[in-house]
Amino acid sequence: MICRICDSPHLDLAIDLGIQPWCNDFLTSNRVGHEEFYPLRLMHCRTCRGVQLDYTVPKEVMFADHTYLSGITQSLSNHFRGIAEDVDARFFHAVPDKSALDIGSNDGTQLKHFKALRYDVLGVESSRTTAQIANQAGVSTINAFFDRDMARRLGRKFHVVNAAGVFFHLEELHSVTEGIREVLHENGVFVVQFLYLKRIVENCAFDQIYHEHLLYYNLETIQVLLERHGLAIFDAYLAPIHGGSIIGFATHAGIQKPSRRLDTLLAAERACHSNEFGTYVAFGERIEEMKTSNLAFLDSAKRKGKRVFGFGAPAKGNTLLNYFGIGTQYLDCLVEKNPLRQGLYSPGMHIPVVLENELRALPDIYYVLAWNFKQEILANNRALLDRGIEFYFPVDPGE
């Protein structure tokens, strides 16, 4: 393969998580045991130091229709509200006829907050179901994949272009990035929100590696990509959402000077060797230690006769479940809020998904797969904690 960012052929295998199903392929009962499996390997580019998967599950398989809804979790909606308010206050509060485009807009949660600030909003969402939900909620959404050709068909510019949790998904990375440059107003701001690879490593959050995430960015590597297409990050900060995400602000190259906090983040990457191959080899060794300790915990719980449920059925949880080999021998079910996953089974391990409001009994232990919303989970389940139910976080962001 060649590097997805810089086209270099010089890539090295850093971590091999085996053959795994596409993590969002939650199964109906008649499909259990018939899902597809694919290699899940993390590569490191010697040239640009970008980190990426070497195998691509086609976007039409992963994103044409899926069951993820961003509006399910209040923490994420609050995060999106903060983004909209910050962008508006800093850049566009006094601008008339301001507009926002959201790429991979899901159910429209981010755009609802821009709309509340009087932006003319438009979403582009590849999933049929979620695009329909957004349109029904009054957020104008096109059901399509965004790329350069579509950007040209839109025939307009936007003051804000947002991409939240999207830029690591992109099979057509350069076409999409060029499309963003095409639709971005001359004084516009591209808000790119992405899981911060430095924090993934620090948290040992290897479950955030899965087939939908083709690329894993630090600030140094996303700079290489954007500069290739005439864009430049001028500011960024680390937000706690999803265990640590970068909120980056970019515009057309040569317009804005880099901020002090961007320089500080880049200096921290260099100091921690965040983009070095050896960092990812060591990461892989820590994953093996984590596997040993997690299985020991679950084995001990079962020996003591404890009932264990999975808390949440996030896509990322399936990387952990499949790599650790955690199935119904440990977890009776996965407890979920998202109604689109009602009655389904997890890919690979075939654990049944049960909606929270349909539970007939409680576990002794919740094994928390949706660990990235730790504080919200603990706050919402204080009564269960008071009853002695344990919440075990296999990945702990420490917040």
Side-chain angles (χ1 to χ4, degrees):
M1 68 173 291
I2 62 170
C3 176
R4 298 176 188 271
I5 296 172
C6 73
D7 301 330
S8 169
H10 303 298
L11 294 105
D12 298 304
L13 176 64
I15 298 172
D16 188 345
L17 296 176
I19 305 297
Q20 296 216 21
W22 162 47
C23 63
N24 230 330
D25 190 17
F26 285 86
L27 309 165
T28 54
S29 58
N30 64 315
R31 288 192 59 235
V32 170
H34 299 287
E35 64 270 45
E36 296 288 336
F37 287 73
Y38 313 93
L40 187 58
R41 296 184 293 253
L42 204 64
M43 311 297 289
H44 178 269
C45 176
R46 296 181 204 170
T47 304
C48 74
R49 306 201 290 181
V51 175
Q52 58 212 269
L53 300 188
D54 68 342
Y55 186 89
T56 303
V57 179
K59 66 182 187 297
E60 292 80 8
V61 171
M62 295 193 291
F63 302 118
D65 210 16
H66 59 73
T67 56
Y68 176 74
L69 295 175
S70 56
I72 288 291
T73 307
Q74 190 60 46
S75 299
L76 189 56
S77 181
N78 291 343
H79 166 76
F80 284 157
R81 179 186 296 112
I83 295 292
E85 291 173 351
D86 179 44
V87 169
D88 186 63
R90 289 179 62 191
F91 304 113
F92 302 113
H93 183 67
V95 173
D97 302 320
K98 52 197 175 185
S99 57
L101 173 70
D102 195 10
I103 299 166
S105 52
N106 198 262
D107 59 8
T109 300
Q110 175 72 89
L111 286 179
K112 288 176 185 177
H113 296 303
F114 276 107
K115 190 173 182 180
L117 296 169
R118 302 178 183 248
Y119 283 72
D120 177 25
V121 301
L122 179 65
V124 180
E125 170 55 47
S126 61
S127 169
R128 292 183 295 272
T129 300
T130 42
Q132 183 179 21
I133 290 170
N135 278 308
Q136 289 171 347
V139 178
S140 180
T141 303
I142 299 171
N143 178 209
F145 289 98
F146 182 86
D147 60 14
R148 178 180 54 212
D149 291 339
M150 186 192 176
R152 291 173 177 172
R153 289 197 301 273
L154 287 176
R156 58 177 294 196
K157 306 286 187 182
F158 294 85
H159 294 92
V160 179
V161 178
N162 181 74
V166 170
F167 236 58
F168 35 69
H169 289 169
L170 299 175
E171 181 179 342
E172 297 171 336
L173 180 65
H174 296 289
S175 178
V176 172
T177 311
E178 186 63 21
I180 289 167
R181 189 190 63 78
E182 291 261 352
V183 299
L184 188 64
H185 189 279
E186 62 181 354
N187 295 314
V189 173
F190 171 41
V191 184
V192 56
Q193 307 182 43
F194 57 92
L195 297 174
Y196 193 25
L197 181 54
K198 181 173 180 288
R199 288 293 290 150
I200 290 175
V201 173
E202 290 168 349
N203 290 333
C204 205
F206 83 98
D207 56 341
Q208 292 179 319
I209 301 168
Y210 51 84
H211 293 107
E212 292 184 9
H213 293 171
L214 297 172
L215 297 115
Y216 302 81
Y217 297 105
N218 283 321
L219 280 161
E220 179 184 297
T221 50
I222 202 165
Q223 279 185 322
V224 174
L225 170 66
L226 295 179
E227 288 171 2
R228 179 171 173 173
H229 294 279
L231 299 169
I233 287 187
F234 62 87
D235 190 23
Y237 66 89
L238 178 62
I241 197 75
H242 300 312
S245 298
I246 287 290
I247 314 303
F249 303 91
T251 190
H252 297 284
I255 293 179
Q256 293 269 15
K257 292 182 179 180
S259 70
R260 180 174 296 178
R261 65 180 178 178
L262 174 61
D263 289 340
T264 299
L265 286 166
L266 286 165
E269 285 184 13
R270 291 190 292 271
C272 294
H273 307 286
S274 297
N275 298 298
E276 301 295 336
F277 178 67
T279 295
Y280 301 100
V281 174
F283 181 26
E285 294 168 354
R286 290 170 57 215
I287 292 168
E288 293 307 311
E289 295 170 1
M290 180 180 170
K291 178 178 180 177
T292 299
S293 63
N294 272 254
L295 293 179
F297 170 81
L298 292 169
D299 282 331
S300 175
K302 283 304 186 181
R303 282 196 305 271
K304 295 173 183 176
K306 303 280 190 181
R307 174 183 284 180
V308 187
F309 292 177
F311 193 98
K316 69 178 182 295
N318 290 314
T319 292
L320 184 150
L321 295 173
N322 280 280
Y323 190 64
F324 286 1
I326 297 172
T328 52
Q329 83 275 33
Y330 292 118
L331 306 183
D332 292 11
C333 62
L334 304 178
V335 181
E336 176 62 72
K337 288 183 177 181
N338 184 347
L340 295 183
R341 291 185 180 156
Q342 183 178 22
L344 301 180
Y345 295 80
S346 69
M349 290 293 102
H350 307 154
I351 305 170
V353 179
V354 178
L355 292 188
E356 188 175 47
N357 60 9
E358 295 178 348
L359 281 179
R360 297 185 179 181
L362 292 172
D364 300 295
I365 300 170
Y366 271 119
Y367 186 76
V368 185
L369 297 169
W371 57 264
N372 49 314
F373 297 116
K374 178 182 178 180
Q375 295 306 317
E376 180 175 341
I377 288 167
L378 294 178
N380 289 346
N381 292 280
R382 180 54 55 190
L384 297 182
L385 290 163
D386 290 343
R387 290 176 60 174
I389 295 174
E390 180 180 357
F391 282 68
Y392 181 87
F393 291 81
V395 177
D396 191 345
E399 297 160 0

